[in-house]
Amino acid sequence: MEIAANGLKCRVSPDDSLLLSQVESTARAADRPVRPLHLQALLQLPRIAGCEGVVQTSVLGPFLHEIALELPRREEWLVPNGISSPHSLRFDEVDATIAREITERFHYLRSARNDGRAYGLFAHTGCPVALCVVSPLDVPHIGNVLLVAGRSSKLARVVSRVFVFEGAPRNLISYLLAHVGREEKRRGTTDLATYVNPNMGFSGSSYKASGWRLLGDEPGTAYRYLDGRYITERRLEEAFGRQDDAGYRRLLGARFDVSCMPLKPLLVFHTEIR
């Protein structure tokens, strides 16, 4: 936390106590869960944080309220009562329409990957509890990291989305990843890789618990925004063609923005399916 002549400032960081306190207050008032709103704050705030990575609380309050109202209400995030163990859940493929709805409404990126295979864990009622999307490996950096580690990228795929609803049992992601690995092996996949974003407070603990290992990182992290909200590079390219940031600025003008605050490199995790 920082104190300046013009009032309180909080740092856009998963460890900042003032930011978390503001998120908790806003979540209660808007009837939204804390964790999803905190993730949205960490993703959306770098646009207005400037190069110092701080935001005045006078600006933060209204902004948090605005993005909170864009999230589903609290009850939509909750898993059915009575689920105390991953073993009580059914593993199965997830219909593409359901996977798209979950990733676009609930995953913190709010952007679907439509080119992948979706798997999930379901309650006995049929309600999805967790989702994992495995997509073709089309990220050159991950392919290069695999090659350096002595692995071929030809039969590798990327875990592009993982999501668990609120109130799910502990260790659910590790349990889901184990099932996904077995199913992908049956389909001929030899390696799985994924990005972990430490700027969101993610450490990769669920991957480590599943036997994955850290292979490297990708420096130069920056977030891109369209009309004031985060947008993935993939979706930008789908909508406006492949451009560099200067090209998007020429094309989109004030609708496009890029974060300038320092961000940690994305971490690349990998597992060989055995």
Side-chain angles (χ1 to χ4, degrees):
M1 183 179 73
E2 297 186 1
I3 300 179
N6 55 357
L8 290 174
K9 292 183 179 182
C10 71
R11 187 165 296 279
V12 181
S13 165
D15 302 322
D16 189 88
S17 59
L18 180 57
L19 174 60
L20 180 58
S21 175
Q22 293 284 309
V23 166
E24 290 172 340
S25 176
T26 303
R28 286 193 298 269
D31 192 32
R32 266 65 175 181
V34 172
R35 176 65 170 163
L37 181 56
H38 194 208
L39 292 177
Q40 281 303 302
L42 294 170
L43 190 65
Q44 307 293 350
L45 283 172
R47 180 179 65 86
I48 61 176
C51 295
E52 295 182 352
V54 295
V55 178
Q56 293 185 10
T57 54
S58 59
V59 175
L60 179 63
F63 186 81
L64 288 178
H65 181 72
E66 183 179 320
I67 62 176
L69 296 182
E70 297 172 0
L71 297 174
R73 290 192 173 274
R74 183 188 304 274
E75 62 269 15
E76 296 188 65
W77 297 83
L78 302 178
V79 303
N81 290 329
I83 299 176
S84 59
S85 168
H87 299 282
S88 66
L89 303 174
R90 172 176 57 87
F91 174 79
D92 205 346
E93 287 195 59
V94 180
D95 178 79
T97 301
I98 296 175
R100 185 181 306 113
E101 180 181 4
I102 292 173
T103 50
E104 292 189 346
R105 294 190 68 219
F106 296 99
H107 191 274
Y108 78 97
L109 292 178
R110 301 173 73 180
S111 175
R113 280 291 299 266
N114 299 319
D115 57 351
R117 292 190 284 260
Y119 304 99
L121 294 173
F122 295 84
H124 70 277
T125 59
C127 295
V129 176
L131 175 77
C132 178
V133 180
V134 180
S135 302
L137 199 168
D138 59 356
V139 183
H141 182 77
I142 292 182
N144 292 336
V145 171
L146 286 175
L147 290 174
V148 170
R151 300 296 300 170
S152 171
S153 61
K154 292 181 179 179
L155 296 177
R157 291 177 71 87
V158 174
V159 173
S160 55
R161 299 287 185 274
V162 174
F163 175 77
V164 176
F165 282 93
E166 298 282 303
R170 293 185 62 182
N171 305 319
L172 194 67
I173 294 179
S174 300
Y175 184 79
L176 174 59
L177 289 172
H179 278 278
V180 169
R182 286 193 288 270
E183 181 60 22
E184 281 297 310
K185 179 181 179 180
R186 188 183 69 81
R187 294 172 179 263
T189 303
T190 61
D191 297 78
L192 291 173
T194 195
Y195 279 125
V196 170
N197 188 347
N199 302 288
M200 306 299 294
F202 301 141
S203 65
S205 58
S206 295
Y207 292 100
K208 295 173 185 175
S210 302
W212 293 51
R213 63 190 184 99
L214 178 65
L215 280 192
D217 59 30
E218 182 170 358
T221 306
Y223 298 158
R224 285 154 184 87
Y225 301 88
L226 180 68
D227 297 329
R229 293 294 180 268
Y230 175 86
I231 185 170
T232 65
E233 294 182 43
R234 187 180 304 277
R235 183 155 287 188
L236 260 177
E237 183 177 331
E238 290 173 352
F240 305 106
R242 180 173 295 182
Q243 310 264 357
D244 58 15
D245 289 341
Y248 286 127
R249 285 193 178 95
R250 287 192 297 268
L251 181 66
L252 299 169
R255 297 181 61 197
F256 177 74
D257 204 357
V258 182
S259 64
C260 66
M261 63 172 278
L263 292 168
K264 298 176 182 178
L266 302 180
L267 306 177
V268 179
F269 279 84
H270 161 261
T271 187
E272 177 185 350
I273 303 178
R274 299 183 183 275

